[in-house]
Amino acid sequence: MTALGAVFRPQLAPERLRGFARAADRSGLDELWLWEDCFLESGIATASAALAWTERLRVGIGLLPVPLRNVALTAMETATLRRLFPGRFAVGLGHGIQDWMGQAGARAESPVTLLREHLNAMRALLRGERVSVDGRYVKLDAVALDWPPEAGGSEAEGACAGAAVLAGARGPRSLRLSGEAADGTVLDASSTLEDVRAARRLIDEGRAAAGRTGHHTVVVYLHAATGADAGHRLRAELEREGLATAHAHRPDLGLGVAGDAATVAKAVQRVAEAGADTVVLQPTADEPDPENFVRFAADQVRPLVP
């Protein structure tokens, strides 16, 4: 079954998160996703609060920028949340937007190398291993978590279980790396349907090269708008993202959807057929009622998605 989620955009004030998360939980939405964009809101802090305010909702961070983070601390935070809220917390790592990393004094000369080292160490720590590594960026001396996540987890929990770590990826090198070193991949809302299909192929290449088997979760964000002015707001959003021209000429690309529940559900299904396990609806920056958007996704779109 395709999981359906929604993004709480960090352009909304942190104090808005409680109502958004509770609306998602009460309406039966599968997943809530959060961003750690610079310099807006902390991913770990918001995920902790959202999990505590809800009962059944799965919460994912997509993504934490690893240049800002020590891998031991990120593993400790992830393990703690997975023990406090079993099967409900998914974490995604990315190499960050380099201009932002430069502003914070954390720009890496080789972002892909940093991400690889971070992913390998993070997954080993979450498996309960004692890790010593002297990499280009990640350096650990016999570090082990005293409280690693409990092993196991159902298929339904997927990326929320055990040592699972997702990677944010866009280019071929990053996508192959995700297949090699991560348990899932997060694709942003600039991904077309063909991009999703190509990502699956590149991820599979990476997994084959590393001799990895089993399922690799793919999470895809999808621009979405509903209501009387949905089309206008979606076009404006895509224009801000530099995607408007492509979408105007090729609506079948799958860059976004505006309309009623049936229209949105069909778009979600197309993304799922292209290779997504989870489709996360991304409201426009000027969405007038974020809580109602969540209820729309859960109450009206979710029943129409296989």
Side-chain angles (χ1 to χ4, degrees), residues 44-272:
I44 293 294
T46 51
S48 302
L51 287 162
W53 286 327
T54 58
E55 297 294 332
R56 42 147 298 279
L57 186 69
R58 295 194 298 273
V59 176
I61 303 176
L63 304 156
L64 297 175
V66 297
L68 294 179
R69 297 187 151 271
N70 180 281
V71 67
L73 177 60
T74 307
M76 289 165 58
E77 292 170 325
T78 299
T80 299
L81 287 177
R82 286 191 171 164
R83 291 186 72 102
L84 289 171
F85 306 98
R88 294 181 56 205
F89 177 56
V91 63
L93 307 178
H95 52 55
I97 294 175
Q98 294 311 296
D99 287 346
W100 290 345
M101 299 302 100
Q103 284 182 270
R107 186 191 294 269
E109 289 185 6
S110 178
V112 175
T113 299
L114 169 57
L115 182 58
R116 179 186 298 276
E117 292 182 359
H118 206 109
L119 286 166
N120 288 336
M122 177 89 162
R123 292 177 63 242
L125 289 167
L126 292 176
R127 289 194 298 266
E129 298 176 13
R130 186 169 299 277
V131 181
S132 292
V133 61
D134 185 19
R136 181 174 177 181
Y137 297 102
V138 173
K139 301 179 185 295
L140 298 173
D141 182 9
V143 174
L145 299 179
D146 288 297
W147 295 103
E150 294 183 353
S154 70
E155 286 188 16
E157 291 166 359
C160 300
V165 179
L166 285 71
R170 182 180 292 176
R173 286 184 65 203
S174 296
L175 287 163
R176 290 191 184 96
L177 169 60
S178 187
E180 293 174 24
D183 305 293
T185 301
V186 180
L187 302 177
D188 67 28
S190 67
S191 302
T192 66
L193 296 177
E194 182 51 40
D195 289 335
V196 177
R197 288 187 282 266
R200 272 289 186 190
R201 292 192 292 270
L202 290 163
I203 290 164
D204 288 344
E205 289 178 13
R207 290 177 66 76
R212 300 190 65 186
T213 59
H215 187 67
H216 184 100
T217 299
V218 172
V219 177
V220 181
Y221 292 111
L222 176 66
H223 290 290
T226 191
D229 60 346
H232 172 76
R233 286 191 290 109
L234 178 63
R235 285 191 295 274
E237 181 82 0
L238 294 172
E239 184 174 343
R240 284 191 292 269
E241 298 293 328
L243 302 170
T245 301
H247 188 270
H249 290 89
R250 291 285 306 283
D252 59 308
L253 286 175
L255 282 169
V257 58
D260 60 11
T263 302
V264 175
K266 287 178 182 177
V268 169
Q269 189 166 348
R270 285 193 292 268
V271 177

